Amino acid sequence: MTTVDRGPVGHGRMLRKEDRRFVRGRGKFLDDIALPGMLHLAVLRSPVAHARIVSVDTLAAEAHPKVKAVVTGAMLEERGLAWMPTLSGDRQAVLATDKVRFQGQEVAFVVAEDRYSARDALELIDVEYDVLPPVVDARRALDPDAPLIRDDVAGKADNHCFDWETGDAAATAAVFDRAEVVVRQEMVFPRVHPAPLETCGAVADYDRVEEKLVLWATTQAPHAHRTLYSMFAGIPEHRIRVISPDIGGGFGNKVPIYPGYVCAIVGSMLTGRPVKWTEDRTENLIASGFARDYVMQGEIAATRDGRILALRSHVLADHGAFNGTAAPRKFPGGFFGVFTGSYDIEAAYCSMTAVHTNKAPGGVAYACSFRIAEAVYLVERMVDLLADELGVDPVELRLRNFIRSDQFPYTSRTGWVYDSGDYATTMQEALRIAGYDELRAEQAARREHAGDGQSLMGIGVSFFTEAVGAGPRKDMDMLGLGMADGCELRVHPTGSAVLRISVQTQGQGHETTFAQLVAEELGIHPENVDVVHGDTDNTPYGLGTYGSRSTPVSGAAAVIASRRVREKARLIAAGMLEVAPEDLEWTKDSSGGRFDVRGVPDSGVTIEQVAMRAHGAGDLPEGVEGGLDAQVSYNPDSLTYPYGAYICVVDIDPGTAVVKVRRFIAVDDCGTRINEMIVEGQIHGGLTDGVGMALMQFIGYDEHGNCLGGSLMDYLIPTAKEVPDWETGMTVTPSPHHPIGAKGVGESATVGSPPAVVNAVIDALAPYGVRHADMPLTPSRVWEAMQGRATPPQ
Amino acid sequence: MEVTLSVNGEPVTRDVEARLLLVHFLRDELGLTGTHWGCDTSNCGSCVVLYDDEPVKSCTVLTAMAGGHDVRTVEDLEQDEVLDPVQQGFMECHGLQCGFCTPGMLMSARALLDRDPDPSEDVIREAISGQICRCTGYASIVRSVRWAAVHPEGRSEA
């Protein structure tokens, strides 16, 4: 058994340092920034999904007494700023010049003295549109008569975005040809939106004298943004400072560069004053990075006795009007290639076709670990469909097919090298907490009395494996930038320290957990380690926080930097004690860290004493520089592969088709946990996302391309009344290649939970003969399924 | 138009536009940025303040209507450098992550405990059901409010 209890790192369940300001209302979020002379920017957006712009008349807006500037796409075009690069190497209009290509697209902006006046002036801009037929359904995007969306790209004749494939098509076909059992199902992972509670925004302050831009922005990746602004706008990179203040939730929504950020920069350059732009909620939902929107054909091949042989899928991916997806360059479909899940199979193949539609750009957002949410949903639904076909309990089928613990490191049929795992143990722990056998017995009893007002009880299981912590330099990059992350650790003379990191918290608690990492390695109390992040002038370079990568990448950097400092401290301590470095023994307890002469307790010096010597006037050993610092840029050897077993219990009212989540059991294995309280909190949040996506969250469009999920009255997010008290458990199987054995966990629950909920609902509907129904499983859609007319979401 | 109201126990008189929302008045005019704004439709509750001791979404109130009323924001919870038990509870029980919904949740929790010092978990869930948290999944918020109910003096047992 590989599961070991390594115990918590540093100070375990340490309360969060950042909470002190947040509970007092003293967080500093983007919209809390107020600079002297600051102006306010508002964006005019297209009311239609597809149209040629005939004219834009700004005269009345310019005449508004409080307006300082009105800018159109034509004006940006004169400066070469009308288009900006996306993170996928496509381009996106900052302000539309020729056409609008989705409802909510940016058409013009106004800069005014206050936020109300800026909005007023938008009403005074007169845009004449020549409305064109839109492409709304991805399935129709490649029809010969489909309207062409991207006529801005020379030579482009259709709405094709990209093709991608992984695995071995021939080997997989051969297995399918001889398989005793093949199950097929089309399923949709609908378009959803991460909807962080704080919308996106920026404050740009361009100093014309210093020629320096300071940009406060809601970004999860301040360094990457700075580089892209420099490449795009031509401002030398050292004259751009990006500051990411407190972020009110990101979940992937704050990875891309949005036109609004660029507008704020242009607005400040034009007016010579600081300019603030903040989205309203509708703008956030209809125009910023969406997630999912995959139509997936799934096929699973097996033996009659329940041995899974192969998986095959074809994915139709809707990338919207511009390919704004944020994924490593060689992975246009993200990490969907891990769709073989947690199972040891013989062959796998996936092909993907991505298309443009007249819908908002985006694609990789919302805590999906680069499309693993979609992959896990596919495989975990297919395994349940196979269990149904074979008449086998879905847990039993999973246990029969798991990658065994002695097979790690395991290379999947699509080439992913899973680092460590003991899946059966984690599954068993979830069954134990759930009382699985008792639940099945209760379900059987209820079904016997069906019709007596009994709710329809369903039990759903999912078992996910993620690949997170992007990523190794040899395997991936974003627009040519390696996906390393850095940190710089400085120990001050009195023994406290500052750790500067390149990743950016959005609620993950980095100010606490990164201090704990240093504490664990150096014996400096976490209260005495200040964590600095979110400021490109004051932190080392790195690609930021998304894809559950902070702990696997920057966390590793922090550990390695701490160990380098400790080794330097050993040399200095050896000089202080006049012994050889190898004769010193490092110990750490609640009072701190110290070097003692081996075998002679209390003979030595504390880390604080070493720090003072390092910065002091006394002699240092030959060849040792003063100071006690280290800087590390960590290029991970491999991704980390967290996993978990989830069980959901639902009750459906047969009269109203309302689904109630009665219980949710989540057992996660993310390797070594730095702070169990924070890990558990992240899991709770992800489970809520999963319930939301499975049951209510949906960004739909009508046939004209009007977004139907443009407010929180239409885009439904779970409240405290829609989710249960989460039941969590853990196993600990350390990553062999991370310096403390940690794996990423921030997105695990968002990725792993939707299939558990859907599997539970389908299980509840088994008496109605329902095999599959697509999310969101709203009462009306569940009711349709019960009547035998389940349809894909529109 | 001129309006006079009480904010955190202090009388405030300002000349405001008739359409100015209370949330923007608090944030932009008074600099009380602890009260947040998160939606246009009064769904998210990140703007909840106490309005004559009742939890109210300050995006639904015009400043002009608030004349003569008593508004209390998150900045007023800590008194004489002593945290309110709900503030302490949220720290003890990991009732927040990004911190954006937190002020609104704290104000609703304070109002709940003022009228029901020992609420059940179901009652707590009902009390915060007009508010959205995207990070915590609510369980830890419920525990945080329970912590405050059990520790009315706000002292940690640790």
Side-chain angles (χ1 to χ4, degrees), chain A residues 14 47 109 143 215 262 270 327 411 598 660 662 699 726 773:
Chain A
M14 177 185 169
F109 71 79
D143 285 358
L215 182 75
V262 179
L270 285 175
T411 303
R598 200 173 298 279
K660 181 170 176 56
R662 185 205 303 183
I699 299 288
W726 311 107

Side-chain angles (χ1 to χ4, degrees), chain A residues 20-280:
Chain A
R20 294 161 201 160
R21 64 177 183 272
F22 290 131
V23 300
R24 289 171 169 88
R26 292 177 66 171
K28 193 80 166 172
F29 296 94
L30 189 282
D31 196 32
D32 302 341
I33 294 166
L35 302 180
M38 187 173 75
L39 301 171
H40 294 262
L41 185 149
V43 175
L44 182 72
R45 293 174 185 275
S46 171
V48 294
H50 198 194
R52 197 160 298 286
I53 295 175
V54 178
S55 63
V56 183
D57 181 350
T58 60
L59 283 176
E62 287 164 25
H64 188 291
K66 291 192 173 177
V67 165
K68 298 293 180 189
V70 183
V71 174
T72 64
M75 293 169 65
L76 288 187
E77 199 159 39
E78 288 170 15
R79 296 164 176 259
L81 294 173
W83 295 85
M84 63 178 195
T86 72
L87 293 173
S88 285
D90 192 5
R91 64 178 201 160
Q92 175 174 357
V94 176
L95 295 176
T97 51
D98 51 344
K99 291 203 304 189
V100 289
R101 293 176 170 84
F102 65 94
Q103 186 187 50
Q105 186 178 340
E106 298 80 0
V107 173
F109 71 79
V110 167
V111 180
E113 287 178 13
D114 63 82
R115 67 173 91 216
Y116 284 31
S117 297
R119 296 258 162 186
D120 288 346
L122 294 185
E123 303 284 325
L124 302 174
I125 301 175
D126 188 14
V127 184
E128 186 183 343
Y129 295 101
D130 177 13
V131 176
L132 302 168
V135 179
V136 180
D137 184 351
R139 293 179 180 85
R140 311 298 304 277
L142 297 180
D143 285 358
D145 60 346
L148 179 63
I149 300 168
R150 295 301 302 277
D151 48 357
D152 61 292
V153 179
K156 188 109 182 105
D158 60 24
N159 297 317
H160 183 257
C161 185
F162 66 81
D163 285 323
W164 174 79
E165 64 176 350
T166 187
D168 187 330
T172 305
V175 175
F176 268 87
D177 286 346
R178 65 173 166 80
E180 295 167 353
V181 181
V182 174
V183 176
R184 297 184 170 86
Q185 180 65 48
E186 177 182 300
M187 61 189 76
V188 177
F189 205 134
R191 180 175 280 234
V192 291
H193 193 283
L197 205 50
E198 178 205 39
T199 59
C200 299
V203 176
D205 188 8
Y206 184 73
D207 185 322
R208 289 172 174 172
V209 177
E210 301 290 338
E211 295 182 342
K212 177 142 187 173
L213 169 70
V214 182
L215 182 75
W216 289 263
T218 51
T219 170
Q220 300 174 219
H223 290 279
H225 277 206
R226 186 192 65 189
T227 302
L228 291 178
Y229 289 129
S230 177
M231 291 164 65
F232 160 61
I235 305 171
E237 197 163 1
H238 67 292
R239 296 203 181 277
I240 303 174
R241 178 182 180 190
V242 176
I243 300 173
S244 197
D246 285 326
I247 300 289
F251 315 111
N253 189 229
K254 291 167 181 169
V255 175
I257 290 179
Y258 292 121
Y261 301 154
V262 179
C263 292
I265 295 169
V266 173
S268 182
M269 287 178 146
L270 285 175
T271 61
R273 288 166 64 174
V275 170
K276 177 190 281 187
W277 165 70
T278 53
E279 288 175 332
D280 65 25

Side-chain angles (χ1 to χ4, degrees), chain A residues 13 16 23-24 31-32 115-116 120 194-195 281 366 506 681 684-685 688 713 718 720-721 723 725-726, chain B residues 19 21 24 27-28 34 38 40 43 78 87 92 94 97-98 125-126 129 132 134-139 143:
Chain A
R13 191 189 181 280
R16 297 199 328 162
V23 300
R24 289 171 169 88
D31 196 32
D32 302 341
R115 67 173 91 216
Y116 284 31
D120 288 346
R281 177 55 62 188
Y366 205 178
Q506 311 124 43
H684 285 187
T688 309
M713 299 177 79
K721 298 281 281 180
V723 291
D725 195 4
W726 311 107
Chain B
R19 61 178 175 169
L21 297 177
H24 288 144
R27 291 178 52 79
D28 295 346
D40 316 301
N43 289 91
E78 181 183 17
Q87 293 174 302
E92 294 285 340
H94 196 30
Q97 290 179 36
C98 81
R125 283 181 184 270
E126 183 71 34
S129 64
I132 289 172
R134 300 290 289 133
C135 299
T136 67
Y138 304 106
R143 284 173 209 157

Side-chain angles (χ1 to χ4, degrees), chain B:
Chain B
M1 58 184 295
E2 190 175 280
V3 61
T4 298
L5 63 159
S6 165
V7 178
N8 295 336
E10 298 287 331
V12 174
T13 300
R14 288 283 194 287
D15 190 25
V16 300
E17 279 192 70
R19 61 178 175 169
L20 183 66
L21 297 177
L22 180 59
V23 61
H24 288 144
F25 176 74
L26 294 171
R27 291 178 52 79
D28 295 346
E29 295 287 328
L30 304 185
L32 295 170
T33 55
T35 302
H36 296 146
W37 170 93
C39 71
D40 316 301
T41 47
S42 305
N43 289 91
C44 80
S46 56
C47 64
V48 166
V49 298
L50 297 189
Y51 191 82
D52 298 334
D53 298 327
E54 286 293 320
V56 165
K57 291 173 178 171
S58 59
C59 73
T60 64
V61 179
L62 294 170
T63 312
M65 297 160 61
H69 291 275
D70 183 38
V71 175
R72 192 175 176 213
T73 70
V74 67
E75 285 89 349
D76 196 48
L77 281 180
E78 181 183 17
Q79 293 288 327
D80 301 325
E81 298 187 13
V82 177
L83 290 179
D84 188 289
V86 296
Q87 293 174 302
Q88 191 78 34
F90 272 64
M91 292 176 66
E92 294 285 340
C93 301
H94 196 30
L96 66 151
Q97 290 179 36
C98 81
F100 200 79
C101 76
T102 310
M105 292 285 182
L106 290 171
M107 299 317 283
S108 287
R110 178 72 268 147
L112 170 66
L113 293 175
D114 282 348
R115 66 175 187 270
D116 180 356
D118 189 24
S120 69
E121 294 201 358
D122 281 348
V123 167
I124 295 168
R125 283 181 184 270
E126 183 71 34
I128 60 170
S129 64
Q131 287 161 266
I132 289 172
C133 171
R134 300 290 289 133
C135 299
T136 67
Y138 304 106
S140 59
I141 293 179
V142 173
R143 284 173 209 157
S144 300
V145 180
R146 279 300 310 161
W147 189 99
V150 173
H151 302 84
E153 302 305 315
R155 284 193 306 275
S156 169
E157 286 176 335

Side-chain angles (χ1 to χ4, degrees), chain A residues 588-609:
Chain A
K588 177 179 70 69
D589 60 24
S590 58
S591 64
R594 54 184 295 124
F595 286 103
D596 288 301
V597 180
R598 200 173 298 279
V600 189
D602 297 328
S603 58
V605 290
T606 66
I607 189 73
E608 287 81 7
Q609 289 169 319

Side-chain angles (χ1 to χ4, degrees), chain A residues 664-678:
Chain A
F664 201 109
I665 297 92
V667 178
D668 275 84
D669 192 322
C670 57
T672 305
R673 295 182 176 207
I674 300 166
N675 183 324
E676 283 173 28
M677 178 188 81
I678 286 176

